[in-house]
Amino acid sequence: MKGIGGAFTMFTKKETDRKNHEKTEQQHNDTKYNKAQFAEARQFSRLEKDILAAVLSEEKTYTVQDAQQHIQQFMNGEAQ
C-alpha cells in the first residue's frame, strides 16, 4: 500500500503543478505591454519588432496576442 500512496501523491503533485503553470500562463497572456516593451522583447524577430514599431500606438498597451494579431494583419496587407 505504501507504494500506491506515493504514486498517488506524485500524480496529485504533477496535476497541481500543471494547473499552476496554466494559471501563470493565462496571467502572462493577459498582461499588457507598451510599444517600447515590445521593442525590447526577445520573443519577436527583428522584422516583427519593426512591424510593431510601425503599427502600435505609443499611448496604448497591448497583450502579446494583440501584438501577434497586428503582425498578422500587417503581413496580410490589412494594416491601416
Coordinates of all heavy atoms in Angstrom, one line a residue:
M1 N 0.8 -1.2 0.0 CA 0.0 0.0 0.0 C 0.8 1.3 0.0 O 0.5 2.2 -0.6 CB -0.9 0.0 1.2 CG -2.1 -0.9 1.1 SD -3.1 -0.5 -0.3 CE -4.5 0.3 0.5
K2 N 2.0 1.2 0.7 CA 2.8 2.4 0.8 C 3.2 2.9 -0.6 O 3.2 4.1 -0.9 CB 4.0 2.1 1.6 CG 4.9 3.3 1.9 CD 6.0 2.9 2.8 CE 6.8 4.1 3.2 NZ 7.9 3.8 4.0
G3 N 3.5 2.0 -1.5 CA 4.0 2.3 -2.9 C 2.8 3.0 -3.6 O 3.1 4.0 -4.4
I4 N 1.6 2.6 -3.5 CA 0.5 3.2 -4.2 C 0.2 4.6 -3.7 O 0.0 5.5 -4.5 CB -0.8 2.3 -4.0 CG1 -0.6 1.0 -4.7 CG2 -2.0 3.0 -4.5 CD1 -1.7 0.0 -4.4
G5 N 0.3 4.8 -2.4 CA 0.1 6.2 -1.8 C 1.2 7.1 -2.3 O 0.9 8.3 -2.7
G6 N 2.4 6.7 -2.5 CA 3.5 7.5 -3.0 C 3.2 7.9 -4.5 O 3.4 9.0 -4.9
A7 N 2.7 6.9 -5.2 CA 2.4 7.2 -6.6 C 1.2 8.2 -6.7 O 1.2 9.0 -7.6 CB 2.0 5.9 -7.3
F8 N 0.2 8.0 -5.9 CA -0.9 8.9 -5.9 C -0.4 10.4 -5.5 O -0.8 11.3 -6.2 CB -2.0 8.5 -4.9 CG -3.2 9.4 -4.9 CD1 -4.0 9.4 -5.9 CD2 -3.4 10.2 -3.8 CE1 -5.1 10.3 -6.0 CE2 -4.5 11.1 -3.8 CZ -5.3 11.1 -4.9
T9 N 0.5 10.5 -4.6 CA 1.0 11.8 -4.2 C 1.7 12.4 -5.3 O 1.6 13.6 -5.6 CB 1.9 11.7 -3.0 OG1 1.2 11.0 -1.9 CG2 2.4 13.0 -2.5
M10 N 2.5 11.6 -6.0 CA 3.3 12.2 -7.2 C 2.3 12.6 -8.3 O 2.5 13.7 -8.9 CB 4.2 11.1 -7.7 CG 5.4 10.9 -6.8 SD 6.5 9.5 -7.4 CE 6.7 9.8 -9.1
F11 N 1.2 11.8 -8.5 CA 0.3 12.2 -9.6 C -0.4 13.5 -9.2 O -0.6 14.4 -10.0 CB -0.8 11.1 -9.8 CG -1.8 11.5 -10.7 CD1 -1.6 11.5 -12.1 CD2 -3.1 11.8 -10.2 CE1 -2.6 11.9 -13.0 CE2 -4.1 12.2 -11.1 CZ -3.8 12.2 -12.5
T12 N -0.8 13.6 -7.9 CA -1.5 14.8 -7.5 C -0.6 16.0 -7.6 O -1.0 17.1 -8.0 CB -2.0 14.6 -6.0 OG1 -2.8 13.5 -5.9 CG2 -2.8 15.8 -5.5
K13 N 0.7 15.9 -7.2 CA 1.6 17.0 -7.3 C 1.8 17.4 -8.8 O 1.8 18.6 -9.0 CB 3.0 16.6 -6.7 CG 4.0 17.7 -6.7 CD 5.3 17.3 -6.1 CE 6.3 18.4 -5.9 NZ 6.4 19.4 -6.9
K14 N 1.9 16.5 -9.7 CA 2.1 16.8 -11.1 C 0.9 17.6 -11.6 O 1.0 18.5 -12.4 CB 2.4 15.6 -11.9 CG 3.8 15.0 -11.7 CD 4.0 13.8 -12.6 CE 5.4 13.2 -12.4 NZ 5.6 12.0 -13.2
E15 N -0.3 17.1 -11.2 CA -1.6 17.7 -11.6 C -1.7 19.1 -11.1 O -2.0 20.1 -11.8 CB -2.8 16.9 -11.1 CG -4.1 17.4 -11.6 CD -4.3 17.2 -13.1 OE1 -3.7 16.3 -13.7 OE2 -5.2 17.9 -13.7
T16 N -1.3 19.3 -9.9 CA -1.3 20.7 -9.3 C -0.3 21.6 -10.0 O -0.6 22.7 -10.3 CB -0.9 20.6 -7.8 OG1 -1.9 19.7 -7.1 CG2 -1.0 22.0 -7.1
D17 N 0.9 21.0 -10.3 CA 1.9 21.8 -11.0 C 1.4 22.2 -12.3 O 1.7 23.4 -12.8 CB 3.2 21.0 -11.1 CG 4.0 20.8 -9.8 OD1 3.7 21.5 -8.9 OD2 4.9 20.0 -9.8
R18 N 0.7 21.3 -13.1 CA 0.2 21.7 -14.4 C -0.8 22.8 -14.3 O -0.8 23.7 -15.1 CB -0.4 20.4 -15.0 CG -0.9 20.6 -16.5 CD -1.5 19.4 -17.1 NE -2.7 18.9 -16.3 CZ -3.9 19.4 -16.5 NH1 -4.1 20.5 -17.3 NH2 -4.9 19.0 -15.8
K19 N -1.7 22.7 -13.3 CA -2.7 23.7 -13.1 C -2.1 25.0 -12.8 O -2.5 26.1 -13.3 CB -3.7 23.3 -12.0 CG -4.7 22.2 -12.5 CD -5.6 21.8 -11.4 CE -6.5 20.6 -11.8 NZ -7.4 20.2 -10.8
N20 N -1.1 25.1 -11.9 CA -0.4 26.3 -11.6 C 0.3 26.9 -12.8 O 0.3 28.1 -13.0 CB 0.6 26.1 -10.5 CG 0.0 25.8 -9.1 OD1 -1.2 26.2 -8.9 ND2 0.7 25.2 -8.2
H21 N 0.9 26.0 -13.6 CA 1.5 26.5 -14.9 C 0.5 27.1 -15.8 O 0.8 28.2 -16.4 CB 2.3 25.4 -15.5 CG 2.9 25.7 -16.8 ND1 4.0 26.5 -16.9 CD2 2.5 25.4 -18.1 CE1 4.3 26.7 -18.2 NE2 3.4 26.1 -18.9
E22 N -0.6 26.5 -15.9 CA -1.7 27.0 -16.8 C -2.2 28.4 -16.3 O -2.4 29.3 -17.1 CB -2.9 26.0 -16.9 CG -2.6 24.8 -17.7 CD -3.7 23.8 -17.7 OE1 -4.7 24.0 -17.0 OE2 -3.5 22.8 -18.4
K23 N -2.4 28.5 -15.0 CA -2.8 29.8 -14.4 C -1.8 30.9 -14.6 O -2.1 32.0 -15.0 CB -3.1 29.6 -12.9 CG -3.6 30.8 -12.2 CD -3.9 30.5 -10.8 CE -4.5 31.7 -10.1 NZ -4.8 31.5 -8.7
T24 N -0.5 30.6 -14.4 CA 0.6 31.5 -14.7 C 0.6 31.9 -16.1 O 0.8 33.1 -16.4 CB 1.9 30.9 -14.2 OG1 1.8 30.6 -12.8 CG2 3.0 31.9 -14.4
E25 N 0.5 30.9 -17.0 CA 0.5 31.2 -18.4 C -0.7 32.1 -18.8 O -0.5 33.0 -19.6 CB 0.4 29.9 -19.2 CG 0.7 30.1 -20.7 CD 0.8 28.8 -21.4 OE1 1.6 27.9 -21.0 OE2 0.0 28.6 -22.4
Q26 N -1.9 31.9 -18.3 CA -3.0 32.7 -18.6 C -2.8 34.1 -18.1 O -3.2 35.1 -18.8 CB -4.3 32.1 -17.9 CG -5.6 32.9 -18.2 CD -5.9 33.0 -19.7 OE1 -5.7 32.0 -20.4 NE2 -6.4 34.1 -20.1
Q27 N -2.2 34.3 -16.9 CA -1.9 35.6 -16.4 C -0.9 36.3 -17.3 O -1.1 37.5 -17.6 CB -1.4 35.5 -15.0 CG -2.4 35.2 -13.9 CD -1.8 34.9 -12.6 OE1 -0.6 34.7 -12.4 NE2 -2.7 34.9 -11.6
H28 N 0.0 35.6 -17.8 CA 1.0 36.2 -18.7 C 0.3 36.6 -20.0 O 0.6 37.7 -20.5 CB 2.1 35.1 -19.0 CG 3.1 35.6 -20.1 ND1 4.0 36.6 -19.9 CD2 3.2 35.2 -21.4 CE1 4.7 36.8 -21.0 NE2 4.3 36.0 -21.9
N29 N -0.6 35.8 -20.5 CA -1.3 36.2 -21.7 C -2.2 37.4 -21.5 O -2.5 38.1 -22.5 CB -2.2 35.0 -22.2 CG -1.4 33.8 -22.7 OD1 -0.2 34.0 -23.1 ND2 -1.9 32.7 -22.7
D30 N -2.6 37.7 -20.3 CA -3.5 38.8 -20.1 C -2.7 40.1 -19.8 O -3.2 41.2 -19.7 CB -4.4 38.6 -18.9 CG -5.4 37.5 -19.2 OD1 -5.7 37.2 -20.3 OD2 -5.9 36.9 -18.2
T31 N -1.4 40.0 -19.6 CA -0.5 41.1 -19.3 C -0.4 42.0 -20.5 O -0.2 41.5 -21.6 CB 0.9 40.6 -18.8 OG1 0.7 39.8 -17.7 CG2 1.8 41.8 -18.4
K32 N -0.5 43.3 -20.2 CA -0.4 44.3 -21.3 C 1.0 45.0 -21.3 O 1.5 45.3 -20.2 CB -1.5 45.3 -21.3 CG -2.9 44.6 -21.6 CD -3.9 45.7 -21.8 CE -5.2 45.0 -22.2 NZ -6.1 45.9 -22.9
Y33 N 1.5 45.3 -22.5 CA 2.8 45.9 -22.6 C 2.7 47.1 -23.5 O 1.8 47.2 -24.4 CB 3.8 44.9 -23.2 CG 3.9 43.6 -22.4 CD1 3.2 42.5 -22.8 CD2 4.8 43.6 -21.3 CE1 3.3 41.3 -22.0 CE2 4.9 42.4 -20.6 CZ 4.2 41.3 -20.9 OH 4.3 40.1 -20.2
N34 N 3.6 48.0 -23.4 CA 3.6 49.2 -24.3 C 4.5 49.0 -25.4 O 5.2 48.0 -25.5 CB 3.9 50.5 -23.5 CG 5.3 50.5 -22.9 OD1 6.2 49.9 -23.5 ND2 5.5 51.1 -21.8
K35 N 4.5 49.9 -26.4 CA 5.3 49.8 -27.6 C 6.8 49.6 -27.3 O 7.4 48.8 -28.0 CB 5.0 51.0 -28.4 CG 5.6 51.1 -29.8 CD 5.2 52.3 -30.5 CE 5.8 52.4 -31.9 NZ 5.3 53.6 -32.6
A36 N 7.3 50.3 -26.4 CA 8.7 50.2 -26.1 C 9.1 48.9 -25.5 O 10.2 48.3 -25.8 CB 9.1 51.3 -25.1
Q37 N 8.2 48.3 -24.7 CA 8.5 46.9 -24.2 C 8.5 45.9 -25.3 O 9.3 45.0 -25.2 CB 7.4 46.6 -23.1 CG 7.6 47.4 -21.8 CD 6.5 47.2 -20.9 OE1 5.3 47.3 -21.2 NE2 6.8 46.8 -19.6
F38 N 7.7 46.0 -26.3 CA 7.7 45.1 -27.4 C 9.0 45.2 -28.2 O 9.5 44.3 -28.7 CB 6.5 45.3 -28.3 CG 5.3 44.6 -27.8 CD1 4.2 45.4 -27.4 CD2 5.1 43.3 -27.6 CE1 3.0 44.9 -26.9 CE2 4.0 42.7 -27.1 CZ 2.9 43.5 -26.7
A39 N 9.5 46.4 -28.3 CA 10.8 46.7 -29.0 C 12.0 45.9 -28.3 O 12.9 45.6 -29.0 CB 11.1 48.2 -29.1
E40 N 11.9 45.7 -27.0 CA 12.9 45.0 -26.3 C 12.7 43.5 -26.1 O 13.5 42.8 -25.6 CB 13.1 45.6 -24.9 CG 13.5 47.1 -24.9 CD 14.9 47.3 -25.6 OE1 15.8 46.5 -25.3 OE2 15.0 48.3 -26.3
A41 N 11.5 43.0 -26.5 CA 11.1 41.6 -26.3 C 12.0 40.7 -27.1 O 12.2 40.9 -28.3 CB 9.7 41.4 -26.6
R42 N 12.4 39.6 -26.4 CA 13.2 38.6 -27.1 C 12.3 37.6 -27.9 O 12.8 36.9 -28.8 CB 14.0 37.8 -26.1 CG 15.1 38.6 -25.4 CD 15.8 37.7 -24.4 NE 16.8 38.5 -23.7 CZ 17.6 38.0 -22.8 NH1 17.5 36.8 -22.5 NH2 18.5 38.8 -22.3
Q43 N 11.0 37.7 -27.6 CA 10.1 36.8 -28.3 C 9.9 37.1 -29.7 O 9.5 36.2 -30.5 CB 8.8 36.9 -27.5 CG 7.6 36.1 -28.1 CD 6.4 36.2 -27.2 OE1 6.5 36.7 -26.0 NE2 5.3 35.8 -27.6
F44 N 10.1 38.3 -30.2 CA 9.9 38.7 -31.5 C 11.1 38.9 -32.3 O 12.2 39.3 -31.8 CB 9.1 40.0 -31.5 CG 7.7 39.9 -30.9 CD1 7.5 40.4 -29.6 CD2 6.7 39.3 -31.6 CE1 6.2 40.3 -29.1 CE2 5.4 39.2 -31.1 CZ 5.2 39.7 -29.8
S45 N 11.1 38.6 -33.6 CA 12.2 38.8 -34.5 C 12.4 40.2 -34.8 O 11.5 41.1 -34.5 CB 12.0 38.0 -35.8 OG 11.0 38.7 -36.6
R46 N 13.5 40.6 -35.4 CA 13.8 42.0 -35.7 C 12.7 42.5 -36.7 O 12.2 43.7 -36.5 CB 15.1 42.1 -36.4 CG 15.6 43.5 -36.7 CD 15.9 44.2 -35.5 NE 15.1 45.5 -35.5 CZ 14.8 46.1 -34.4 NH1 15.2 45.8 -33.2 NH2 14.1 47.2 -34.5
L47 N 12.3 41.7 -37.6 CA 11.2 42.1 -38.6 C 9.9 42.4 -37.8 O 9.2 43.4 -38.1 CB 11.0 41.1 -39.7 CG 9.9 41.3 -40.6 CD1 10.1 42.6 -41.4 CD2 9.7 40.2 -41.6
E48 N 9.6 41.5 -36.9 CA 8.3 41.6 -36.2 C 8.4 42.9 -35.3 O 7.4 43.6 -35.2 CB 8.1 40.4 -35.3 CG 7.7 39.2 -36.1 CD 7.7 37.9 -35.3 OE1 8.5 37.8 -34.4 OE2 6.9 37.0 -35.7
K49 N 9.5 43.2 -34.7 CA 9.7 44.4 -33.9 C 9.5 45.6 -34.7 O 8.9 46.6 -34.3 CB 11.0 44.4 -33.2 CG 11.1 43.3 -32.1 CD 12.5 43.4 -31.5 CE 12.7 42.3 -30.5 NZ 14.1 42.4 -29.9
D50 N 10.1 45.6 -36.0 CA 9.9 46.7 -36.9 C 8.4 46.9 -37.2 O 8.0 48.1 -37.3 CB 10.7 46.5 -38.1 CG 12.2 46.6 -37.9 OD1 12.6 47.2 -36.8 OD2 13.0 46.2 -38.8
I51 N 7.7 45.9 -37.5 CA 6.3 46.0 -37.8 C 5.6 46.6 -36.6 O 4.7 47.5 -36.8 CB 5.7 44.6 -38.2 CG1 6.3 44.1 -39.5 CG2 4.2 44.6 -38.2 CD1 6.0 42.7 -39.9
L52 N 5.8 46.1 -35.4 CA 5.2 46.6 -34.2 C 5.5 48.0 -34.0 O 4.6 48.8 -33.6 CB 5.5 45.7 -33.0 CG 5.0 44.3 -33.0 CD1 5.6 43.5 -31.8 CD2 3.5 44.3 -33.0
A53 N 6.7 48.4 -34.3 CA 7.1 49.8 -34.1 C 6.3 50.7 -35.0 O 5.9 51.9 -34.7 CB 8.6 50.0 -34.4
A54 N 5.9 50.2 -36.2 CA 5.2 51.0 -37.2 C 3.7 51.0 -36.9 O 3.0 52.0 -37.2 CB 5.4 50.4 -38.6
V55 N 3.1 49.9 -36.3 CA 1.7 49.8 -36.2 C 1.1 50.1 -34.8 O -0.1 50.4 -34.7 CB 1.1 48.5 -36.8 CG1 1.5 48.3 -38.2 CG2 1.6 47.3 -35.9
L56 N 1.9 49.9 -33.8 CA 1.4 50.1 -32.5 C 1.4 51.6 -32.1 O 2.3 52.4 -32.5 CB 2.2 49.3 -31.4 CG 2.2 47.8 -31.6 CD1 3.0 47.2 -30.4 CD2 0.8 47.3 -31.6
S57 N 0.5 52.0 -31.2 CA 0.4 53.4 -30.7 C 1.2 53.5 -29.5 O 1.2 52.6 -28.6 CB -1.1 53.7 -30.4 OG -1.2 54.9 -29.8
E58 N 1.8 54.7 -29.3 CA 2.6 55.0 -28.1 C 1.7 55.0 -26.9 O 2.2 54.7 -25.8 CB 3.3 56.3 -28.3 CG 4.4 56.3 -29.3 CD 5.7 55.7 -28.8 OE1 5.9 55.4 -27.6 OE2 6.5 55.3 -29.7
E59 N 0.5 55.5 -27.0 CA -0.4 55.7 -25.9 C -1.1 54.5 -25.3 O -1.6 54.5 -24.3 CB -1.4 56.8 -26.2 CG -0.9 58.1 -26.5 CD -0.4 58.3 -28.0 OE1 -0.9 57.6 -28.8 OE2 0.5 59.0 -28.2
K60 N -1.1 53.4 -26.1 CA -1.9 52.2 -25.8 C -1.0 51.1 -25.3 O 0.2 51.1 -25.5 CB -2.7 51.7 -27.0 CG -3.8 52.6 -27.4 CD -4.6 52.0 -28.6 CE -5.7 52.9 -29.0 NZ -6.4 52.3 -30.1
T61 N -1.6 50.1 -24.6 CA -0.9 48.9 -24.2 C -1.6 47.7 -24.9 O -2.8 47.8 -25.2 CB -0.9 48.7 -22.7 OG1 -2.3 48.7 -22.2 CG2 -0.2 49.8 -22.0
Y62 N -0.8 46.7 -25.1 CA -1.3 45.5 -25.8 C -0.9 44.2 -25.2 O 0.2 44.2 -24.6 CB -0.7 45.5 -27.3 CG -0.9 46.8 -28.0 CD1 -0.1 47.9 -27.9 CD2 -2.0 47.0 -28.8 CE1 -0.3 49.1 -28.6 CE2 -2.2 48.1 -29.5 CZ -1.4 49.2 -29.4 OH -1.6 50.4 -30.1
T63 N -1.7 43.2 -25.3 CA -1.2 41.8 -24.9 C -0.3 41.3 -26.0 O -0.3 41.8 -27.1 CB -2.4 40.9 -24.7 OG1 -3.1 40.7 -26.0 CG2 -3.4 41.4 -23.7
V64 N 0.3 40.2 -25.7 CA 1.2 39.5 -26.7 C 0.3 39.0 -27.9 O 0.7 39.2 -29.0 CB 2.0 38.4 -26.1 CG1 2.7 37.6 -27.1 CG2 3.0 38.9 -25.0
Q65 N -0.9 38.6 -27.5 CA -1.8 38.1 -28.6 C -2.2 39.3 -29.5 O -2.3 39.1 -30.7 CB -3.0 37.4 -27.9 CG -4.0 36.8 -29.0 CD -5.2 36.1 -28.3 OE1 -5.4 36.3 -27.1 NE2 -5.9 35.4 -29.1
D66 N -2.5 40.4 -28.9 CA -2.8 41.6 -29.7 C -1.7 41.9 -30.6 O -1.9 42.2 -31.8 CB -3.0 42.8 -28.8 CG -4.3 42.7 -27.9 OD1 -5.2 42.0 -28.3 OD2 -4.3 43.5 -26.9
A67 N -0.5 41.9 -30.1 CA 0.7 42.2 -31.0 C 0.8 41.2 -32.1 O 1.1 41.6 -33.3 CB 2.0 42.2 -30.1
Q68 N 0.6 40.0 -31.8 CA 0.7 38.9 -32.9 C -0.3 39.2 -33.9 O -0.1 39.0 -35.1 CB 0.6 37.6 -32.3 CG 1.9 37.2 -31.4 CD 1.7 35.9 -30.6 OE1 0.6 35.5 -30.3 NE2 2.8 35.3 -30.3
Q69 N -1.5 39.6 -33.5 CA -2.6 39.9 -34.5 C -2.2 41.1 -35.3 O -2.5 41.0 -36.6 CB -3.9 40.1 -33.7 CG -4.5 38.9 -33.1 CD -5.8 39.2 -32.3 OE1 -6.1 40.3 -32.0 NE2 -6.5 38.1 -32.0
H70 N -1.6 42.1 -34.8 CA -1.2 43.2 -35.6 C -0.1 42.8 -36.6 O -0.2 43.3 -37.7 CB -0.7 44.3 -34.6 CG -1.7 45.2 -34.0 ND1 -2.4 46.1 -34.6 CD2 -2.2 45.1 -32.7 CE1 -3.3 46.7 -33.8 NE2 -3.2 46.1 -32.6
I71 N 0.8 42.0 -36.2 CA 1.8 41.5 -37.1 C 1.1 40.7 -38.3 O 1.4 41.0 -39.4 CB 2.8 40.6 -36.4 CG1 3.6 41.4 -35.4 CG2 3.7 39.9 -37.4 CD1 4.5 40.6 -34.4
Q72 N 0.2 39.8 -37.9 CA -0.5 39.1 -39.0 C -1.3 40.0 -39.9 O -1.3 39.8 -41.1 CB -1.5 38.0 -38.3 CG -0.8 36.8 -37.8 CD 0.0 36.1 -39.0 OE1 1.2 36.1 -39.0 NE2 -0.8 35.4 -39.9
Q73 N -2.0 40.9 -39.4 CA -2.7 41.9 -40.2 C -1.8 42.6 -41.2 O -2.1 42.8 -42.3 CB -3.5 42.8 -39.4 CG -4.7 42.2 -38.6 CD -5.4 43.1 -37.7 OE1 -4.8 44.2 -37.3 NE2 -6.6 42.8 -37.2
F74 N -0.7 43.1 -40.6 CA 0.3 43.8 -41.5 C 0.8 42.9 -42.6 O 0.9 43.3 -43.7 CB 1.5 44.3 -40.6 CG 2.4 45.1 -41.4 CD1 2.2 46.5 -41.5 CD2 3.6 44.5 -42.0 CE1 3.1 47.2 -42.3 CE2 4.5 45.3 -42.7 CZ 4.3 46.6 -42.8
M75 N 1.2 41.7 -42.2 CA 1.7 40.7 -43.2 C 0.7 40.4 -44.3 O 1.1 40.1 -45.4 CB 2.2 39.4 -42.5 CG 3.3 39.7 -41.5 SD 4.8 40.3 -42.3 CE 5.5 38.8 -42.9
N76 N -0.6 40.4 -43.9 CA -1.6 40.1 -44.9 C -2.1 41.4 -45.6 O -3.1 41.3 -46.4 CB -2.9 39.5 -44.1 CG -2.5 38.1 -43.6 OD1 -1.7 37.4 -44.1 ND2 -3.2 37.7 -42.6
G77 N -1.5 42.5 -45.4 CA -1.8 43.7 -46.1 C -3.1 44.4 -45.5 O -3.7 45.2 -46.2
E78 N -3.4 44.0 -44.3 CA -4.7 44.6 -43.7 C -4.4 45.8 -42.8 O -5.3 46.3 -42.2 CB -5.4 43.5 -42.9 CG -5.8 42.3 -43.8 CD -6.3 41.2 -42.9 OE1 -6.6 41.4 -41.7 OE2 -6.5 40.1 -43.5
A79 N -3.1 46.2 -42.6 CA -2.8 47.2 -41.7 C -3.3 48.6 -42.2 O -3.4 48.8 -43.4 CB -1.3 47.3 -41.5
Q80 N -3.6 49.5 -41.3 CA -4.1 50.8 -41.7 C -3.1 51.9 -41.3 O -2.6 51.9 -40.3 CB -5.4 51.1 -41.0 CG -6.5 50.1 -41.5 CD -7.8 50.4 -40.8 OE1 -8.0 51.5 -40.2 NE2 -8.8 49.5 -41.0

